[in-house]
Amino acid sequence: MNSEKIMVDSMGAAVPLRHVSKYDRTRDAAVRRIYARFAKARQALEKVMAESLADLDAVAKARGEAGIDSGAKGNIQVSSFDGLITVGLNVRYDIHLDERAVRARELMFACARRIADKLNSDEAKLLEVLIDEAFQPTRSGALPVARVLSLMRREVNDADWKEAKRLLADSMETSRGKSYLRVEARPDRQHDPVPVRLDIADCWPESKEVQP
C-alpha cells in the first residue's frame, strides 16, 4: 500500500498533499526550480574561476621563465596577441593597525597642542582636526588607514611626532584581502574595452517584468 504523499511546511510539519493548495504547490515548484538553476550556475562560475586562475598561473610561470617582471605581488594583467581582449587579476591588500596606534595618537595630539600653544596658528588647529579624523574608527571598527598614512607623510620636527610615526609603522600588519578577476574585450581598435560582467543583475531580459 502506497503511503500518502506529503509536503513539509515552514514549521516542519508534514502536510498531506491533498491539503496543500494549488497555489502553494505552484510556488514551491517554482522556487525549487529557480534555486536549482542558481546552484547549477554557481557551480559553473566556480569552475570558470578555477580554470581561469589556472590559466593565469601558467601565464605567470611563462612570464617568469621569459625574464619578464611580474609587477606587484599577486597582480597580473595580460592581453591577447591582437590586443582586443584583456584579463586582469587585482589583489587587494588590507592594512591593519595594532594597539600601538593608540599611543601614537596620544603623541601626535601632544605635539599638535604644543605647536598650538606656541604659535596659536590655524595650521596647528588643522593638524589636530586631521589627527582626530585619522583615528576615528570606521563602521567595521578599523582605523581609516589612508588617513593614518597621510599623517605619516607629514614631516614635523618634533620628537613625539617622530616617535608616533615609528609606532604607527611598527603597528601596521598587512593581510591579503579580496581578489578581483576582470575580463574586457572590444570588437576592434576603434572601440573602448567593455567588461564581461558575470552579474545576474546585469542579465535582465529586455522588456521582461514579473507581473504582481
Side-chain angles (χ1 to χ4, degrees):
M1 181 177 179
N2 293 331
S3 58
E4 185 175 14
K5 292 184 178 180
I6 63 168
M7 291 181 68
V8 178
D9 67 13
S10 59
M11 300 298 292
V15 180
L17 189 61
R18 55 191 169 86
H19 293 320
V20 179
S21 70
K22 181 179 179 181
Y23 164 71
D24 285 336
R25 294 198 302 270
T26 298
R27 70 180 173 91
D28 181 80
V31 168
R32 292 182 185 280
R33 285 196 301 269
I34 293 171
Y35 169 75
R37 293 188 196 106
F38 268 64
K40 184 177 180 180
R42 170 74 187 199
Q43 291 178 347
L45 283 177
E46 289 176 355
K47 185 171 184 289
V48 167
M49 179 62 79
E51 292 175 347
S52 299
L53 293 177
D55 284 337
L56 287 178
D57 282 341
V59 172
K61 182 179 179 181
R63 176 178 282 184
E65 292 172 349
I68 302 173
D69 183 17
S70 59
K73 184 178 180 180
N75 293 285
I76 185 172
Q77 180 167 308
V78 290
S79 299
S80 57
F81 192 63
D82 60 9
L84 298 181
I85 304 172
T86 302
V87 176
L89 176 63
N90 300 107
V91 180
R92 190 184 73 188
Y93 287 89
D94 297 327
I95 300 175
H96 305 277
L97 303 174
D98 64 24
E99 68 281 354
R100 285 172 285 191
V102 176
R103 177 56 181 160
R105 177 182 182 275
E106 294 173 352
L107 291 172
M108 285 185 166
F109 264 123
C111 171
R113 291 189 186 108
R114 280 198 302 275
I115 295 174
D117 290 340
K118 291 179 181 179
L119 303 178
N120 194 27
S121 65
D122 291 337
E123 184 177 352
K125 293 177 182 177
L126 174 61
L127 186 58
E128 285 197 49
V129 172
L130 292 175
I131 295 170
D132 190 49
E133 290 179 347
F135 288 94
Q136 287 295 323
T138 61
R139 291 180 181 177
S140 63
L143 293 178
V145 176
R147 291 183 177 179
V148 173
L149 292 176
S150 177
L151 277 182
M152 291 181 65
R153 287 192 289 269
R154 290 180 175 270
E155 295 295 336
V156 178
N157 188 21
D158 181 274
D160 280 350
W161 189 269
K162 293 176 181 179
E163 175 64 8
K165 288 175 62 174
R166 185 191 67 77
L167 285 172
L168 287 175
D170 292 343
S171 74
M172 290 184 181
E173 299 175 352
T174 304
S175 62
R176 181 164 176 159
K178 288 185 177 180
S179 299
Y180 300 91
L181 184 61
R182 186 187 73 259
V183 179
E184 298 177 339
R186 50 182 176 166
D188 53 57
R189 290 168 184 79
Q190 302 303 315
H191 291 79
D192 293 328
V194 177
V196 180
R197 297 181 60 186
L198 299 183
D199 181 354
I200 192 70
D202 195 48
C203 301
W204 200 262
E206 293 291 335
S207 304
K208 179 65 175 179
E209 294 183 3
V210 178
Q211 299 298 323

